[in-house]
Amino acid sequence: MKKFVNDPADVLAEALRGIQAAHPEVRVDAENRVILRAEPTRAGKVALVSGGGSGHEPMHGGFVGRGMLDAAAAGEVFTSPTPDQVLAATQAVDAGAGVLHIVKNYTGDVLNFEMAAELAAAEGVEVESVLVSDDVAVQDSTWTAGRRGTGTTVILEKIVGARAEEGADLAAVADLARRVAAAGRSMGVALTSCTVPAAGRPTFELPDDEMEVGVGIHGEPGRSRVKLASAHEIAALLVDPIVHDFGEPVGPAIVLLSGLGATPLIEQYLLYGEIAPLLAAAGVEVQRVLIGDYITSLDMAGASLTVVKADDEMLRLWDAPVVTPGLRWGA
Amino acid sequence: MSGTVALDDLVSWIRAFRDTVQQHKDELTQLDSAIGDADHGSNMARGLDAVVARLDPRPASPTDLFKTVGMTLVSSVGGASGPLYGTLFLRMGPALSEGEVDATTLGAALRAGVEGVVARGKAELGDKTMIDALWPAVDAWDTAAAAGATPAAAARAAAEAAARGRDATEPLVARKGRASYLGERSAGHLDPGATSATMLLEALRDTLAAAE
């Protein structure tokens, strides 16, 4: 394992120290491992709290700031935060108008946020939760725990963050969040495994001439392993399942192509050059595009594509100013 | 010891569980990397270290002990294992609130804990989770206790049943937890949660055997 680490056990604490040093607009609560806006929540504003395992940077701590999240609870690498952490984040940012929990659909995240919401309610904080489960790579049936939550999370946090900034109440913010969550689909592909610092070796073995289609953002195996293909062919492997899953004309949409950590931008742009005509041919009218590393998986080479079917309100909120370490425009 | 379990034995059990998980940390993580996200061993080891750090001074009663263990696991493990193992111990405590601990009461406490895990995780037998080790274990415990077994003998029966349940997870297709996202590809691997849960029962078996 070749990584910038001191002791693998200290990776999270030391990374948080770096975030604090780099970004005076956020405040790191080192004890609870929570990243907050430096300024307290404006009175009457609904607060947005997300979080999850670390290793997906800039998600989630990088999306704390004006126009997006109020706080993010950072779990250990690929491990959801504990209820105490989420509770600390929730209490710190509640300004009397309630808190929205944005949760990706992984058993650990769901259980810990659920316990935190119960504890917060007992403390008199009003909490609503929205679950993101957008990964079309995995089955959705009564027998499974449902789909994984991936790239739609970023788009949701941006859109809903803008709505909360406008002063919408908790019910309206939660309703919008559920609409965005329902409108998103994602699909990813891995060319290499990631290496979790505490494990010290790659999570999975992937021969040089193979790739993992439908990989999860924790290096959990995807749905199939196939021979490495050209970018032209990979684009279809990402676009087709998403378009097929919508099962209806998509129309206007916001698109995110995220590198998974070890894929350079030149390859991401090359891949998007292949994806764009496929989306157009499938009737996806791309209104906004975001390309870069936004939801990553440590040092995994690969990419994930997210398409969110967007109405005029979502597009307007997408364009609203945002000032966070990982995303900023219009301000 | 024959019929009752002392508080010291229960404390030794928790320490023995920590030691076992520490020894098999890499094995648990490797099982998890096949079907999950490669953190079960390191998370459990970190959480149990935090637990052992809070056993000194010794909790005043079994109820206090299990409350401390449960709260510490919930607040230090993360992932799905934190809330699930935490709930197991948090539910065991109240079942031991009065009187001495014998085979029947410890079995009832284990059952209350396992029912708590089922309620929290919404998993059933055969879903390829820790429940596949824990359910057969409490059933075996109760059967042994009803037949008049000592706590040590009941724990032996429970550990054997847990190990069989753990081994039976290998061919199963996961329907809960992160491995469920793999569908058929999750078959052919032991479930890491069932493996650590078996270590929990084996630690109890060894501790009570040593105390007998």
Side-chain angles (χ1 to χ4, degrees), chain A:
Chain A
M1 177 176 71
K2 290 170 86 172
K3 286 179 186 289
F4 291 121
V5 297
N6 295 311
D7 182 331
D10 298 332
V11 164
L12 177 55
E14 294 180 358
L16 288 173
R17 209 168 63 195
I19 288 171
Q20 180 66 90
H23 299 288
E25 68 271 33
V26 300
R27 182 166 65 83
V28 172
D29 170 354
E31 190 199 343
N32 289 304
R33 297 174 173 200
V34 171
I35 299 160
L36 310 129
R37 296 192 197 184
E39 301 290 320
T41 313
R42 195 175 71 237
K45 178 191 165 303
V46 171
L48 266 57
V49 171
S50 193
S54 296
H56 305 303
E57 290 68 25
M59 192 179 75
H60 292 279
F63 299 137
V64 172
R66 187 151 60 86
M68 225 162 154
L69 298 176
D70 292 271
E76 289 291 329
V77 173
F78 290 176
T79 300
S80 73
T82 64
D84 318 44
Q85 287 180 268
V86 179
L87 177 64
T90 303
Q91 288 178 315
V93 298
D94 177 45
V99 179
L100 179 72
H101 283 177
I102 300 163
V103 187
K104 299 185 303 308
N105 192 28
Y106 295 96
T107 308
D109 289 285
V110 172
L111 292 180
N112 286 287
F113 271 88
E114 204 174 84
M115 291 182 89
E118 287 168 15
L119 294 169
E123 301 283 329
V125 180
E126 202 183 347
V127 176
E128 285 271 354
S129 298
V130 59
L131 201 61
V132 180
S133 51
D134 62 333
D135 190 342
V136 302
V138 294
Q139 287 172 348
D140 188 19
S141 77
T142 51
W143 289 111
T144 69
R147 291 176 165 175
R148 304 179 291 218
T150 58
T152 298
T153 316
V154 178
I155 294 173
L156 186 153
E157 288 172 358
K158 169 67 190 82
I159 290 174
V160 177
R163 189 79 182 97
E165 217 69 62
E166 288 180 345
D169 66 18
L170 182 59
V173 167
D175 177 65
L176 175 65
R178 291 185 187 118
R179 282 202 292 125
V180 178
R185 304 285 187 281
S186 292
M187 179 76 184
V189 60
L191 308 182
T192 68
S193 173
C194 51
T195 296
V196 178
R201 62 174 101 70
T203 298
F204 57 94
E205 296 296 326
L206 193 57
D208 275 352
D209 62 341
E210 292 182 10
M211 60 185 186
E212 188 81 33
V213 179
V215 74
I217 54 168
H218 306 93
E220 65 270 46
R223 295 295 290 177
S224 62
R225 183 168 290 191
V226 300
K227 285 288 171 200
L228 184 63
S230 67
H232 180 71
E233 292 165 295
I234 292 173
L237 291 175
L238 296 178
V239 171
D240 290 350
I242 289 175
V243 171
H244 178 261
D245 194 86
F246 273 111
E248 57 178 15
V250 176
I254 298 169
V255 169
L256 163 67
L257 181 68
S258 181
L260 292 179
T263 291
L265 270 175
I266 186 171
E267 290 175 44
Q268 295 181 34
Y269 277 112
L270 188 156
L271 186 59
Y272 189 70
E274 298 287 351
I275 287 171
L278 295 179
L279 289 174
V284 179
E285 299 159 26
V286 180
Q287 305 291 316
R288 308 287 188 276
V289 189
L290 196 57
I291 296 178
D293 288 354
Y294 291 99
I295 168 168
T296 59
S297 181
L298 295 172
D299 52 351
M300 184 186 286
S304 75
L305 176 67
T306 298
V307 177
V308 175
K309 198 174 154 139
D311 58 25
D312 287 345
E313 184 191 22
M314 293 181 198
L315 291 172
R316 178 180 67 77
L317 294 167
W318 176 259
D319 292 338
V322 60
V323 186
T324 70
L327 205 63
R328 62 173 69 206
W329 59 64

Side-chain angles (χ1 to χ4, degrees), chain B residues 52-121:
Chain B
V52 167
R54 289 189 202 175
L55 296 182
D56 211 3
R58 198 186 73 174
S61 68
T63 306
D64 284 350
L65 167 67
F66 290 130
K67 187 178 173 197
T68 299
V69 173
M71 291 297 287
T72 307
L73 290 175
V74 166
S75 63
S76 62
V77 176
S81 315
L84 294 173
Y85 270 103
T87 299
L88 175 75
F89 286 103
L90 286 173
R91 294 290 181 90
M92 282 183 70
L96 295 174
S97 58
E98 282 174 37
E100 58 185 22
V101 179
D102 60 18
T104 305
T105 52
L106 189 50
L110 280 168
R111 183 169 291 279
V114 173
E115 283 170 353
V117 176
V118 170
R120 176 72 56 199

